[in-house]
Amino acid sequence: MADDLRIGIIGLDTSHSEQFTLRLNDPANPNHIPGARVVVAFPAGSPDIEESKTRIEGFTAAVRDKFGVRIVGSVAEACKDVDAVLLLSLEGRPRLEQMKEIIAAGKPVFMDKPVAASLKDAVEIYKLAGAAQVPVFSASAMRWYPGVLEVANAEQTPARSAISYGPAHVLPHHPDLFFYGVHPTEALFTVMGTGCLSVMRTTTASASVVTGLWAEGRMGTLEAIHEGAMGYKLIRFGDKQITEQKSDGDYTPMLREIVKFFQTKQPPVSPKQTLEIYAFMAAAEESKERDGARVTLREVMVKAGAPEAWLPEDGKEKDKAKVEAPKSVEKGLPKPGGS
């Protein structure tokens, strides 16, 4: 116990605050992760979001009374006398100001989703952290779900295309994919990898379909469910097989990566990788505003103030070259109803 890293939590308005603390602080839990312990927390929340303000009291009581976490009254106090920080506040609007204080304290930080409520703020957070040499990373837990990894690693060659679907609840304070839509989006990128050039989006009240064009003509499709039945799934189209996700997961594998990150200061997902995911979602928002027009990720990243080193390829010439109709194939076609 003496060697455990001391962790501070900022934000007690999500179940993650209790679930992460359970896995770190309770050695008897079957999903216990050694090496770190939550010692202090600041119950930050959003007074204008019902899901936030109505849950702070309960999660504060849980981490305090079940796990012995000391409750403090500010971000600065939560960053004092700790080795690292978990930024878990529910939504993205406060994140830039919260991160300024964490970065000033010089503490490595994991940012739960969403990084921010705009691509511009997300870029600014990573720029500030880079300038101060403060280790930072963010990811969805779905990146390490066993079922997602099974799909991602189904073949050694890159996926030709993939489909990812999942909930994307619409909030007035965020681009509509940033809040829950980040989960199926990150799952899509876990399979497809980096290199998305541009997106096009079609939207109805019930769902949005976002089609991303990757380098080498690969294609990834996000089905963002706004209303109706909700669920998550990945389908990967490869050279030799089509692989569907068969299992889910929980927070435990991601939390192992977080503890490892706090120990090594090496993020498993780089700022550039994360910002490409947020650029995909921001470009989808821009495409919706332009009635489904193609929008490059580079365009929205430039607009958000991203440094040159973080910018995706332009993609315009590749877009033209890769959207040609496929060549016809005369033999080897599967028979309808055949095996």
Side-chain angles (χ1 to χ4, degrees):
M1 295 290 290
D3 296 327
D4 282 350
L5 294 174
R6 299 162 299 169
I7 306 300
I9 286 179
I10 295 165
L12 294 177
D13 56 348
T14 81
S15 61
H16 293 191
S17 59
E18 181 177 11
Q19 290 299 316
F20 287 15
T21 305
L22 169 68
R23 286 163 172 76
L24 295 174
N25 286 29
D26 183 4
N29 187 277
N31 290 319
H32 174 62
I33 298 167
R37 183 177 180 83
V38 178
V39 297
V40 63
F42 169 51
S46 301
D48 59 345
I49 295 182
E50 194 71 17
E51 296 87 348
S52 172
K53 68 180 182 180
T54 58
R55 298 197 293 175
I56 295 173
E57 184 177 347
F59 289 129
T60 300
V63 301
R64 180 189 63 220
D65 301 339
K66 291 181 183 178
F67 307 112
V69 175
R70 181 168 57 93
I71 305 301
V72 296
S74 69
V75 171
E77 289 178 275
C79 293
K80 187 179 180 182
D81 299 325
V82 298
D83 301 300
V85 173
L86 292 167
L87 179 53
L88 306 181
S89 48
L90 177 69
E91 54 108 5
R93 287 174 298 163
R95 290 296 183 84
L96 178 56
E97 294 306 314
Q98 291 170 335
M99 280 298 297
K100 285 179 180 177
E101 292 193 69
I102 298 168
I103 290 167
K107 303 301 168 72
V109 57
F110 169 78
M111 297 180 290
D112 207 357
K113 65 85 189 162
V115 170
S118 69
L119 180 60
K120 182 178 180 181
D121 278 6
V123 167
E124 183 65 16
I125 285 169
Y126 278 106
K127 285 167 67 176
L128 291 171
Q133 297 185 323
V134 171
V136 174
F137 104 90
S138 181
S140 163
M142 289 189 69
R143 179 176 283 274
W144 290 282
Y145 277 11
V148 170
L149 292 176
E150 182 181 0
V151 173
N153 298 320
E155 293 182 350
Q156 292 185 342
T157 53
R160 290 179 175 269
S161 62
I163 299 170
S164 177
Y165 66 74
H169 301 86
V170 177
L171 289 181
H173 312 301
H174 293 70
D176 56 11
L177 299 182
F178 273 41
F179 196 59
Y180 272 95
V182 67
H183 294 308
T185 303
E186 185 141 0
L188 179 66
F189 273 79
T190 303
V191 172
M192 294 295 297
T194 57
C196 184
L197 305 173
S198 63
V199 302
M200 298 175 69
R201 174 173 175 167
T202 302
T203 297
T204 70
S206 296
S208 293
V209 176
V210 183
T211 303
L213 184 65
W214 265 251
E216 286 78 50
R218 301 187 303 126
M219 186 168 62
T221 302
L222 171 71
E223 173 89 10
I225 307 167
H226 304 313
E227 297 176 354
M230 300 287 176
Y232 293 97
K233 192 167 189 179
L234 271 169
I235 305 171
R236 182 191 194 276
F237 301 88
D239 289 334
K240 298 180 180 179
Q241 64 189 55
I242 297 171
T243 308
E244 297 190 23
Q245 182 181 347
K246 294 182 175 64
S247 66
D248 296 319
D250 64 10
Y251 307 124
T252 307
M254 181 179 73
L255 198 52
R256 277 197 205 96
E257 296 294 329
I258 292 170
V259 172
K260 190 187 303 182
F261 160 68
F262 287 157
Q263 292 168 335
T264 65
K265 312 297 191 296
Q266 300 299 314
V269 185
S270 71
K272 185 174 181 179
Q273 286 176 292
T274 298
L275 287 172
E276 183 174 328
I277 292 169
Y278 280 82
F280 175 97
M281 296 186 292
E285 183 84 357
E286 186 71 21
S287 177
K288 181 176 73 171
E289 294 298 318
R290 299 186 197 173
D291 295 324
R294 186 179 299 276
V295 177
T296 69
L297 273 63
R298 186 180 182 91
E299 174 188 342
V300 295
M301 285 286 279
V302 168
K303 186 177 178 180
E308 179 67 33
W310 293 351
L311 295 179
E313 294 181 39
D314 184 278
K316 290 181 179 178
E317 291 304 315
K318 291 186 179 182
D319 281 355
K320 294 176 184 177
K322 298 300 180 181
V323 294
E324 299 174 356
K327 297 176 181 178
S328 61
V329 179
E330 304 244 335
K331 56 184 179 179
L333 294 178
K335 300 293 189 292
S339 58

